[in-house]
């Protein structure tokens, strides 16, 4: 993977000067059709970065078996159409220059700003990954993870407990979730027939109405039941007051370190937006491809054809084993006949 230092603000200033404006236009257009596009694009960036780094691999849906997006950890991840629209518009301006991975990162920034959150400079220069496999998503943070497991998964990516609180609980200031992710907390907590005792009595009846025991697991509810349509620090205040919806948010108050972070932002509300932006920039540096690594995909849903069937070139007088020679011959026949 490339060096984080190879990312830079304004990477496309000369090569494709209207790239970021084009992504922003696609996000604004999408928001007209779907007002909840902001959390959709924010989640897409998070899920992309936590599997094989911020390389756009989550977007690959054709030409591979068991694509990464098919992993259960990515259930409900959307926003591919917005990225595809932005990519097509950029390719019309500057073909083969702007990566899908960078478009995802820029779109997430613009989506956050559109929801009333902070705007920040996005470091660009990522290149797209070529691999996509559902098996790679096994270390994706999950809604049922313990706080210990969540901390480990964030540490593996070079992120701190503060980043965990900001990018998990803090990011849930906007968006919705499916009742599927909440029902055990309401009706079968820890294998019992009761609800999670940390849920505030003021919230529990409302959650039960929105997600009845015999209702559809696909019904949706706001992650922030207080100010869920607006980007603010309320989701962290909710954790402190027993008003969080997801178990992975609630448990952030079970660990002394993450609890102290939640408490800090509950009091110092002015720091939340700025620190959230810093955490997003840090996340955007996870295991990036830069320089000559990876590729710039022509379309985001598939790797470039030359990577699927590489050209057969002479190897001079190098000795090749019989098995390898047969494999190369098969590749030539498969790709060109």
């Amino acid at each position: 993977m490339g060096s984080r230092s190879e990312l830079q603000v304004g990477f496309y200033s000369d090569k494709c000067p209207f790239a970021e404006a084009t992504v922003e236009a696609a996000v604004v257009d999408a928001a007209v059709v779907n007002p909840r596009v902001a959390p959709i694009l924010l989640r897409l960036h998070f899920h992309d970065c936590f599997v094989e780094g911020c390389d756009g691999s989550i977007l690959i849906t054709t030409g591979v078996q068991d694509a990464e997006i098919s992993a259960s950890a990515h259930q409900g991840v959307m926003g591919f159409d917005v990225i595809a629209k932005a990519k097509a518009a950029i390719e019309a301006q500057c073909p083969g220059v702007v990566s899908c991975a960078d478009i995802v990162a820029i779109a997430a920034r613009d989506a956050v700003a559109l929801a009333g959150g902070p705007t920040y400079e996005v470091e660009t220069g990522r290149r797209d990954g070529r691999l996509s496999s559902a098996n790679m998503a096994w270390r994706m943070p999950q809604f049922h993870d313990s706080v210990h497991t969540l901390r480990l998964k964030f540490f593996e990516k070079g992120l701190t407990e503060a980043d965990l609180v900001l990018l998990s609980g803090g990011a849930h200031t906007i968006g919705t979730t499916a009742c599927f992710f909440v029902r055990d907390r309401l009706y079968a907590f820890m294998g019992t027939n009761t609800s999670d005792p940390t849920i505030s009595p003021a919230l529990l009846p409302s959650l039960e109405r929105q997600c009845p025991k015999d209702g559809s697991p696909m019904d949706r509810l706001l992650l922030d039941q207080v100010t869920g349509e607006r980007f603010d620090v309320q989701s962290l205040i909710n954790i402190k007051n027993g008003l969080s919806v997801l178990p992975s948010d609630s448990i952030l108050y079970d660990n002394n370190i993450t609890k102290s972070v939640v408490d800090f932002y509950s009091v110092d509300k002015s720091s939340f937006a700025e620190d959230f932006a810093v955490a997003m920039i840090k996340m955007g540096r996870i295991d990036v491809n830069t320089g000559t690594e990876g590729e710039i995909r022509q379309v985001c849903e598939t790797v470039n054809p030359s990577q699927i069937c590489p050209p057969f070139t002479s190897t001079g007088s190098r000795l090749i084993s019989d098995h390898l020679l047969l494999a190369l011959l098969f590749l030539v026949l498969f790709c060109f006949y």
Side-chain angles (χ1 to χ4, degrees):
M1 294 295 181
S3 168
R4 298 171 183 176
S5 64
E6 294 182 49
L7 298 179
Q8 63 184 70
V9 173
F11 182 82
Y12 299 112
S13 296
D14 296 327
K15 305 172 185 177
C16 194
F18 300 107
E20 294 198 25
T22 302
V23 176
E24 181 182 13
V27 172
V28 171
D29 288 348
V32 173
V33 178
N34 181 3
R36 291 183 176 168
V37 75
I40 288 172
L41 294 173
L42 177 57
R43 188 181 185 213
L44 177 62
H45 186 35
F46 180 87
H47 279 249
D48 182 38
C49 289
F50 264 82
V51 179
E52 294 300 297
C54 309
D55 66 349
S57 59
I58 195 172
L59 304 172
I60 300 173
T61 56
T62 61
V64 294
Q65 293 183 335
D66 298 322
E68 179 188 320
I69 188 57
S70 66
S72 60
H74 291 323
Q75 183 176 354
V77 173
M78 299 181 290
F80 302 89
D81 56 332
V82 182
I83 305 302
K85 180 179 178 181
K87 175 64 170 175
I90 290 174
E91 285 294 300
Q93 302 171 34
C94 358
V97 173
V98 180
S99 69
C100 299
D102 275 342
I103 293 174
V104 171
I106 296 166
R109 183 271 310 275
D110 294 339
V112 167
L114 199 62
T119 186
Y120 54 92
E121 298 281 6
V122 175
E123 297 173 335
T124 46
R126 300 168 189 81
R127 289 171 64 84
D128 297 318
R130 300 187 182 109
L131 301 177
S132 176
S133 171
N135 292 332
M136 295 177 178
W138 71 282
R139 292 298 287 169
M140 185 74 208
Q142 301 267 24
F143 74 99
H144 52 66
D145 282 342
S146 68
V147 68
H148 174 71
T149 299
L150 288 173
R151 289 173 66 204
L152 285 178
K153 289 180 177 180
F154 272 70
F155 288 166
E156 289 169 359
K157 303 300 180 182
L159 301 174
T160 66
E161 285 95 346
D163 297 322
L164 165 60
V165 171
L166 289 163
L167 296 172
S168 184
H172 292 158
T173 176
I174 52 176
T176 63
T177 189
C179 288
F180 170 83
F181 299 108
V182 184
R183 290 175 75 174
D184 280 357
R185 194 173 179 224
L186 296 178
Y187 305 109
F189 182 69
M190 301 293 287
T192 68
N193 292 319
T194 59
S195 60
D196 182 348
T198 67
I199 301 176
S200 169
L203 177 65
L204 183 59
S206 174
L207 293 182
E208 291 174 336
R209 284 193 300 271
Q210 295 175 79
C211 295
K213 192 172 185 178
D214 57 352
S216 169
M218 301 314 295
D219 286 344
R220 303 194 72 80
L221 67 163
L222 289 170
L223 286 164
D224 174 3
Q225 294 278 303
V226 181
T227 62
E229 303 290 349
R230 183 174 71 245
F231 188 100
D232 56 25
V233 74
Q234 185 62 49
S235 59
L236 298 185
I237 298 173
N238 291 346
I239 292 173
K240 181 176 181 178
N241 295 333
L243 300 174
S244 56
V245 172
L246 290 176
S248 55
D249 288 347
S250 174
I251 61 169
L252 294 177
Y253 218 59
D254 293 346
N255 174 269
N256 288 335
I257 300 176
T258 52
K259 177 180 181 293
S260 67
V261 177
V262 171
D263 287 340
F264 172 79
Y265 289 114
S266 298
V267 175
D268 189 357
K269 301 179 179 65
S270 62
S271 299
F272 171 68
E274 180 180 352
D275 291 352
F276 180 84
V278 171
M280 288 289 288
I281 293 169
K282 286 179 64 177
M283 183 181 74
R285 297 169 177 165
I286 295 175
D287 294 337
V288 293
N289 294 316
T290 58
T292 58
E293 299 170 326
E295 65 181 14
I296 304 296
R297 282 187 226 135
Q298 297 170 8
V299 291
C300 293
E301 61 265 28
T302 185
V303 299
N304 293 340
S306 61
Q307 302 304 328
I308 299 174
C309 292
F312 183 85
T313 57
S314 173
T315 57
S317 59
R318 185 179 60 189
L319 293 177
I320 304 175
S321 70
D322 290 341
H323 288 169
L324 181 56
L325 180 59
L326 287 173
L328 289 172
L329 289 173
F330 174 79
L331 182 62
V332 171
L333 289 173
F334 178 78
C335 291
F336 299 107
Y337 291 94

